[in-house]
Amino acid sequence: MTDTGIGAAVRRKEDHRFLTGRGTYTDDINRPGQTYAHILRSPHAHARIKSIDVSAAAKASGVVAVFTGADMAADGVGGLPCGWQIHSKDGSPMAEPAHPPLVTDKVCHVGDQVAVIIAESRTQAKDAAEKINVDYEELPAVIDMTAAIKDGSPLTHDDVAANICYDWHLGEKEPVDEGFAKAKHVAKIDIVNNRLIANAIEPRVAIGDYDPSSGEYTLYTTSQNPHVIRLLMGAFVLQIPEHKLRVVAPDVGGGFGSKIYHYAEEAILTWAAGKVKRPIKWTAERSESFISDCHGRDHVTHAELALDGDGKFLALRVSTLANMGAYLSTFAPCIPTYLHGTLLAGVYTTPAIYVEVKAVFTNTVPVDAYRGAGRPEASYLLERLVDRAAREMGLDPADIRRKNFIPADAFPYQTPVALQYDSGDYTATFDAAIKIADVDGFAARKAAAGKAGKLRGLGYSTYVEACGIAPSAVAGALGARAGLYESAEVRVHPTGSVTVFAGSHSHGQGHETTFAQLVSDSLGIPFENVDVVHGDTGKVQFGMGTYGSRSLAVGGEAIMKALGKVIDKATKIAAHVLETSEADIEFKDGQFTVAGTDKSMAFGDVALTAYVPHNFPHETLEPGLDESAFYDPANFTFPAGCHICEVEVDPETGVVEVIDFTAVDDVGRVINPMIVEGQVQGGVAQGIGQALLEECVYDESGQLVTGSYMDYTMPRASNLPNITVANETTLCAHNSLGVKGCGEVGAIGSPPAVINAVVDALSDFGVTDIAMPATPEKVWRAIQSAQAAG
Amino acid sequence: MYDFEYHRAASLDDAAGKLKSADDGTLVAGGMTLIPTLKLRLASPSDLIDISGLAELSGIKAEGDAVVVGAATIHAAVAASSDVRAKIPALADLAELIGDAQVRNRGTLGGSIANNDPTADYPAALLALGATIRTDHREIAADDYFEGLFETALDAGEIITQVAFPVPEKASYQKFPNPASRYALVGVFVAKGPSGVRVAVTGAGLDGVFRVTEMETALAENFSPDAIKDVSVSADGLNADIHAGADYRAHLIGVLARRAVADCT
Ligand SMILES: Cc1cc2nc3c(=O)[nH]c(=O)nc-3n(C[C@H](O)[C@H](O)[C@H](O)COP(=O)(O)OP(=O)(O)OC[C@H]3O[C@@H](n4cnc5c(N)ncnc54)[C@H](O)[C@@H]3O)c2cc1C
């Protein structure tokens, strides 16, 4: 390990820029002659548009143009595509209702896009929007999923029967039924995975630009994956070929999934820029973000676990309703299916599992991936259910887990729900977490808390997740309409410095640092000599983007592959200069040496020679040192771990304080421990947010009640405990670095640990369940009703 | 927001004059309440008259048995004032609990009580301490001042200049913040002072701040948490929203009142 190579806690290259306000975010970009767009949005959850009169708005001061869905449709603009197709149990493809960027005949959720006003200033655009007269015929809205699938429910889309997008299943029913038939105990649980709003600190922004002289469109956008946006928008929505469409995602202030998707505003602004032939900027206001950024989670699940007399799991049965919102967002259909149903084995040897998922349309904002995407929903239901089973059977929640872990020598391990785990050691992370959290001392801490009038509880969660998304062949077989490889280019400059062009976008993950460490380590060159470029389809050859903790396990591997090619080429050059055969060249610590001699050449000299090839044999050796690679993974990666949470509850008020949190994760090889620690802490903060604070609430008419920070509770520093992060490592068996992924583990592992701790704290009252978020009022009510029940 | 004319008042008289002559003028102090309202296009005043720098409205001083705070005093100044800390520490504590550092460094006492948000903190202190609101025209007792949701006894164009807080023997403010906004979900100010024992509740009432006289009577006889442990507060007339039902708010009033009594200094 060099001091800047793999395993070093190098300070982040990006921090100086971000901490001193020198970042360039989309809203910092201004184009000459720029105009401003305001999107007129639906105030209704469900309404037919009888007419739209834009005439007064079009004449208003400063207005450049006003467009409606009819204008886009007349121009042949397509609907927003969905990137993943799920098939129902009966083999039929999912329902895919039209998703026009600007609606034509009806609005399907509060915030749906009705018209765009383009003006010389933002204020003028907003003023003009007030002059648009939309004649709505309000329709009954359907918000609750359980109601939505009942006969006679209002339909979100006239052509989608019973509001059901698909009715999917996985696993075999018969062995599950047999497991239940032999069970000595069956634990059951009804669980709601609360709907969340991602709330990236930077709201979404888009700038559409069109150059009439070249016919080239440029979209600057707050995206986690600019190439995917170019692909989807260019090919499906606007029919602009790739060479005439550039998508730039500069510094992006957080995404958490909500900036993966191709959004209507991107298509509207790009298209409209071509119409008005001037650049157009749109910047979401925070209240607009609440009703137009995709939401996350929102599952309602019933699950049952069959156990033998010793607490060994025999079978698991899960039935879930998953909210899609009003339209299918880019990856929405795969979240509750292939990123949720496939994870239900967890870290356990449960031999038989059957899961059914109905995806449901409602008159709410579309729901898609949010940090963890499907895996937090899986780990939450599993870990709550396991805890419940332990309590009901009088078993220690640690013992029941240990008894059912997949043993460390059982890998590769084939689960009954499609995945094959390549590596792991669940007992190792569990033991480490128990030690760090000082579980042995808990009884004494509980007693001390009791003396102070507080209820203390401890909760476990042991989880596995599937990330490093994903082998294209597998993804394709499961309905992905894209490959999920990654690409990278390593350009060595004549003096030996390096620019990496990465297909993975960085928006908080620290790629500029981690990727530079890979290069520094491989080529033996100083970390300072490496820069990473990402986020621009005009510079980077291709990319599938950043989500599903894939940047290192897939994007990093693409870089390693390109580095391998660079080293091969450099070896050839060194062999030529040192007048020996390639086989005799050894490359170590940045030096090419003729084996067994002191004849050697530094990497920088080889690079210079590559660009000053005065005596190259041109038939066998090309000048230059610039290599690119595409990497398609062989399997998902499977980070796993144990989270332990300790809480104190004030029984008088119901307030839950998280006292301590321990996260021991196996994320594979750690490239930068400081960045891993930060990623896990951030994920845990969001997990604690989901468990105790955050909830997106709609009223019956489809108005978003939690439409601002007055009502939507974000976690604050004072809600968070000290979070101890540690790693126990097993290497990924199928990539060169042995890396798995760390971006989502915090959010996947933590919510059940928190809720199990709250239930543990309240167990003396006989409380067995508490829904997320466990707000003071809910906790207080749980205590009240348990006391009333005696 | 819509366009408006901005004026910085040179004096209290100037502010009053400008307010009168404007079409539809509004005073602005810290702007912490007004500016968000304008940004959401919920109001469209023709003129904003800025009183934040006026000498007549600033300063904190001890005046006989009272602490007098200028209406344009920011929350952070009240929290940091050695006079307030020495004489009415509960008031400094309250100011410290308002919003976040940015809000405390802009928002003012006058703006808060002119607005009379039912979840604001100061109204509880004014009512419990029996404060007097001084305006450019008159003095109003706190008991007569708070008239319901966002309603006060102020006449149109009337400007709050100062608030006089009688120094209590002891007092405490206990706040249960709304988890999202951090305004008071329930806030209870208990004071034992020149006007007897008072228990004022903010955040919970459908009509804004109110007193719990049953607790006051019990505490006047026996100033201890035990004295009010059996006083139950009715949920009638209390607010219910996604953060708390009326019964939970009623319960919290009891808990916070007992904690306030125990904490009184
Ligand atoms: C994020 C945030 C969190 C907050 N949290 C809390 C909290 O926890 N607790 C709490 O109590 N408050 C809270 N507030 C409100 C804050 O205390 C405001 O500062 C206060 O309510 C208004 O004061 P201001 O000086 O900013 O008034 P402005 O916004 O300037 O004015 C408000 C109104 O008062 C009028 N006005 C101002 N001064 C006078 C005067 N001297 N005479 C007559 N009328 C006048 C104005 O015309 C206007 O109508 C919060 C605000 C924000 C933005």
Side-chain angles (χ1 to χ4, degrees):
Chain A
M1 182 177 107
T2 67
D3 55 356
T4 59
I6 290 173
V10 186
R11 292 255 198 119
R12 302 200 322 167
K13 274 180 187 282
E14 31 294 75
D15 284 345
H16 187 269
R17 170 165 107 247
F18 292 151
L19 295 176
T20 58
R22 286 181 167 80
T24 303
Y25 296 87
T26 307
D27 197 51
D28 294 324
I29 296 171
N30 291 297
R31 307 291 301 152
Q34 179 173 289
T35 60
Y36 295 85
H38 175 74
I39 310 280
L40 180 69
R41 296 182 184 277
S42 169
H44 304 296
H46 198 195
R48 205 166 298 287
I49 295 180
K50 288 161 70 180
S51 64
I52 306 181
D53 180 359
V54 303
S55 53
K59 283 186 280 209
S61 155
V63 170
V64 175
V66 181
F67 297 113
T68 64
D71 298 312
M72 293 189 86
D75 227 24
V77 173
L80 303 177
C82 180
W84 204 296
Q85 186 179 46
I86 298 295
H87 285 81
S88 288
K89 290 172 185 166
D90 63 6
S92 60
M94 68 185 187
E96 260 183 284
H99 189 182
L102 286 174
V103 301
T104 46
D105 55 346
K106 104 175 180 165
V107 289
C108 293
H109 66 87
V110 168
D112 215 350
Q113 304 81 222
V114 174
V116 59
I117 304 93
I118 298 153
E120 299 293 342
S121 76
R122 215 166 256 150
T123 308
Q124 287 170 324
K126 275 184 106 166
D127 287 347
E130 291 179 1
K131 297 189 160 69
I132 295 181
N133 192 357
V134 187
D135 187 3
Y136 291 105
E137 175 197 341
E138 276 189 70
L139 301 171
V142 56
I143 306 306
D144 177 65
M145 280 194 282
T146 324
I149 58 171
K150 291 219 171 94
D151 280 351
S153 160
L155 294 180
T156 306
H157 300 280
D158 299 339
D159 54 349
V160 181
N163 293 303
I164 293 176
C165 173
Y166 56 73
D167 181 3
W168 173 90
H169 67 164
L170 182 67
E172 286 176 50
K173 236 177 174 162
E174 294 72 35
V176 170
D177 292 342
E178 284 162 24
F180 276 87
K182 335 191 260 247
K184 282 279 172 319
H185 183 81
V186 174
K188 302 180 180 181
I189 201 159
D190 286 290
I191 282 235
V192 174
N193 205 286
N194 40 326
R195 187 180 181 114
L196 304 176
I197 302 177
N199 282 299
I201 198 165
E202 177 206 27
R204 287 190 298 115
V205 184
I207 303 171
D209 200 351
Y210 175 69
D211 180 349
S213 65
S214 65
E216 187 183 291
Y217 289 84
T218 305
L219 169 69
Y220 302 86
T221 182
T222 48
S223 176
Q224 300 179 213
N225 46 358
H227 287 85
V228 174
I229 303 306
R230 184 181 64 170
L231 181 69
L232 294 175
M233 184 173 77
F236 298 98
V237 188
L238 300 181
Q239 281 89 43
I240 304 170
E242 278 91 342
H243 69 298
K244 294 294 182 198
L245 177 57
R246 177 177 163 213
V247 178
V248 184
D251 285 329
V252 171
F256 311 112
S258 72
K259 291 173 181 164
I260 298 173
Y261 324 116
H262 176 34
Y263 280 100
E265 295 84 359
E266 295 169 328
I268 296 169
L269 266 84
T270 307
W271 171 80
K275 291 273 144 199
V276 304
K277 310 231 170 359
R278 286 175 65 181
I280 313 170
K281 178 188 272 188
W282 167 77
T283 304
E285 297 187 359
R286 183 58 68 181
S287 45
E288 208 175 358
S289 303
F290 274 94
I291 54 168
S292 70
D293 290 3
C294 279
H295 295 173
R297 313 274 194 262
D298 206 351
H299 284 194
V300 174
T301 294
H302 175 76
E304 301 183 354
L305 180 65
L307 302 100
D308 73 9
D310 294 331
K312 270 289 248 185
F313 306 159
L314 301 174
L316 174 71
R317 208 183 257 152
V318 174
S319 170
T320 291
L321 293 181
N323 207 336
M324 295 285 105
Y327 303 100
L328 288 182
S329 170
T330 313
F331 287 123
C334 81
I335 312 304
T337 50
Y338 293 108
L339 292 178
H340 171 248
T342 53
L343 269 302
L344 290 171
V347 290
Y348 309 116
T349 52
T350 318
I353 299 172
Y354 179 73
V355 49
E356 300 174 283
V357 178
K358 279 195 182 82
V360 182
F361 290 111
T362 58
N363 293 111
T364 61
V365 169
V367 179
D368 206 327
Y370 166 68
R371 200 170 194 170
R375 291 98 84 206
E377 294 89 319
S379 69
Y380 182 65
L381 84 84
L382 214 48
E383 291 305 293
R384 291 289 319 282
L385 187 54
V386 166
D387 245 45
R388 173 165 292 185
R391 270 179 205 289
E392 289 174 351
M393 296 180 72
L395 296 170
D396 182 303
D399 291 344
I400 199 171
R401 288 180 165 83
R402 221 182 266 289
K403 198 173 283 189
N404 286 283
F405 283 156
I406 296 164
D409 59 7
F411 295 94
Y413 180 84
Q414 179 63 50
T415 75
V417 274
L419 296 177
Q420 193 185 74
Y421 303 162
D422 64 333
S423 68
D425 185 344
Y426 308 140
T427 308
T429 44
F430 197 50
D431 288 344
I434 285 174
K435 196 159 168 229
I436 295 172
D438 184 23
V439 171
D440 285 347
F442 174 70
R445 294 192 294 275
K446 185 177 163 83
K451 289 210 180 93
K454 296 283 173 64
L455 310 166
R456 193 141 171 148
L458 181 141
Y460 299 93
S461 148
T462 46
Y463 72 92
V464 64
E465 65 129 330
C467 66
I469 293 171
S472 296
V474 176
L478 302 181
R481 288 165 166 161
L484 287 170
Y485 49 82
E486 195 47 273
S487 112
E489 178 186 347
V490 174
R491 183 176 299 168
V492 181
H493 302 292
T495 56
S497 64
V498 169
T499 303
V500 175
F501 296 86
S504 316
H505 187 275
S506 184
H507 37 276
Q509 296 85 351
H511 294 173
E512 292 167 38
T513 304
T514 306
F515 290 171
Q517 286 180 255
L518 298 183
V519 177
S520 170
D521 199 274
S522 297
L523 300 183
I525 63 173
F527 173 75
E528 296 71 36
N529 290 6
V530 187
D531 266 347
V532 177
V533 170
H534 60 88
D536 185 344
T537 65
K539 293 180 180 163
V540 178
Q541 57 180 5
F542 207 77
M544 288 307 297
T546 294
Y547 41 84
S549 303
R550 67 193 301 276
S551 294
L552 189 57
V554 189
E557 285 294 323
I559 294 171
M560 292 307 290
K561 217 172 147 187
L563 282 167
K565 293 185 188 179
V566 164
I567 293 169
D568 286 351
K569 170 87 180 279
T571 303
K572 268 192 190 170
I573 296 171
H576 167 70
V577 175
L578 297 171
E579 298 179 318
T580 183
S581 73
E582 277 169 59
D584 288 337
I585 296 285
E586 283 171 355
F587 180 55
K588 202 171 164 252
D589 298 334
Q591 289 289 327
F592 293 88
T593 308
V594 181
T597 74
D598 59 359
K599 277 170 66 181
S600 85
M601 235 180 131
F603 179 78
D605 294 327
V606 175
L608 188 62
T609 313
Y611 288 94
V612 191
H614 284 161
N615 63 354
F616 272 23
H618 289 309
E619 320 74 58
T620 53
L621 200 53
E622 263 180 54
L625 196 51
D626 186 343
E627 299 289 342
S628 73
F630 282 70
Y631 172 81
D632 204 331
N635 191 356
F636 292 88
T637 58
F638 299 97
C642 173
H643 291 189
I644 297 179
C645 178
E646 219 166 304
V647 301
E648 271 186 15
V649 177
D650 176 347
E652 274 197 316
T653 59
V655 169
V656 176
E657 188 188 349
V658 183
I659 304 288
D660 212 346
F661 199 99
T662 304
V664 178
D665 304 292
D666 175 1
V667 299
R669 189 188 307 286
V670 171
I671 306 299
N672 184 321
M674 181 194 69
I675 289 180
V676 169
E677 186 179 10
Q679 287 288 310
V680 174
Q681 287 185 334
V684 169
Q686 282 177 310
I688 291 174
Q690 165 157 36
L692 297 180
L693 305 162
E694 298 184 49
E695 184 174 32
C696 172
V697 180
Y698 279 96
D699 71 13
E700 279 171 21
S701 73
Q703 294 295 327
L704 181 60
V705 179
T706 51
S708 81
Y709 296 128
M710 294 298 282
D711 289 302
Y712 188 89
T713 312
M714 291 295 286
R716 292 166 161 92
S718 59
N719 299 118
L720 301 172
N722 182 40
I723 301 167
T724 306
V725 176
N727 295 116
E728 281 291 324
T729 302
T730 64
L731 297 181
C732 170
H734 60 78
N735 61 37
S736 75
L737 290 163
V739 295
K740 297 184 177 181
C742 69
E744 294 162 294
V745 293
I748 292 166
S750 57
V754 178
I755 296 297
N756 284 340
V758 175
V759 172
D760 183 49
L762 300 179
S763 59
D764 292 346
F765 286 102
V767 172
T768 57
D769 190 25
I770 192 99
M772 295 196 292
T775 60
E777 180 180 29
K778 264 189 219 154
V779 171
W780 177 75
R781 284 194 195 286
I783 296 173
Q784 297 302 301
S785 42
Q787 278 177 333
Chain B
M1 61 178 77
Y2 299 104
D3 283 351
F4 53 78
E5 292 293 325
Y6 172 85
H7 315 268
R8 179 171 276 285
S11 66
L12 186 57
D13 282 348
D14 182 42
K18 288 204 159 84
L19 195 54
K20 201 172 233 161
S21 59
D23 242 5
D24 180 18
T26 301
L27 299 174
V28 60
M32 291 292 96
T33 296
L34 184 65
I35 303 295
T37 314
L38 299 183
K39 282 165 81 177
L40 290 168
R41 298 190 161 213
L42 297 173
S44 50
S46 61
D47 297 77
L48 291 198
I49 296 110
D50 190 342
I51 53 170
S52 59
L54 293 184
E56 294 106 313
L57 306 190
S58 59
I60 299 173
K61 54 183 184 294
E63 219 182 77
D65 289 337
V67 174
V68 177
V69 181
T73 307
I74 58 173
H75 310 325
V78 174
S81 156
S82 50
D83 279 332
V84 180
R85 277 265 161 237
K87 301 216 147 87
I88 323 178
L91 185 62
D93 293 344
L94 175 147
E96 186 93 60
L97 290 170
I98 296 176
D100 48 42
Q102 292 91 325
V103 169
R104 290 193 293 277
N105 278 293
R106 293 287 312 169
T108 67
L109 169 62
S112 177
I113 61 169
N115 191 48
N116 192 20
D117 187 311
T119 63
D121 295 299
Y122 270 128
L126 268 70
L127 200 54
L129 292 167
T132 301
I133 294 104
R134 297 177 181 166
T135 77
D136 54 347
H137 293 306
R138 56 182 168 146
E139 297 200 342
I140 312 170
D143 287 318
D144 304 324
Y145 175 84
F146 299 104
E147 295 188 340
L149 291 192
F150 301 101
E151 296 288 336
T152 70
L154 289 178
D155 293 328
E158 192 169 3
I159 302 177
I160 304 167
T161 55
Q162 292 175 327
V163 177
F165 295 94
V167 176
E169 191 184 309
K170 46 188 168 180
S172 167
Y173 180 60
Q174 297 291 316
K175 176 176 183 173
F176 191 96
N178 174 314
S181 72
R182 300 276 172 111
Y183 277 78
L185 191 77
V186 177
V188 179
F189 203 110
V190 173
K192 188 174 185 199
S195 36
V197 175
R198 286 188 168 209
V199 178
V201 177
T202 189
L206 278 171
D207 287 327
V209 65
F210 65 92
R211 287 168 56 187
V212 188
T213 43
E214 221 183 311
M215 286 186 180
E216 294 178 352
T217 318
L219 290 170
E221 257 175 48
N222 170 14
F223 195 83
S224 79
D226 269 356
I228 51 172
K229 76 175 192 307
D230 294 325
V231 178
S232 78
V233 177
S234 165
D236 290 347
L238 298 191
N239 190 12
D241 56 28
I242 59 164
H243 303 288
D247 56 342
Y248 179 54
R249 280 189 162 90
H251 165 77
L252 285 178
I253 292 171
V255 174
L256 297 178
R258 290 195 296 280
R259 289 183 183 180
V261 172
D263 178 68
C264 261
T265 45

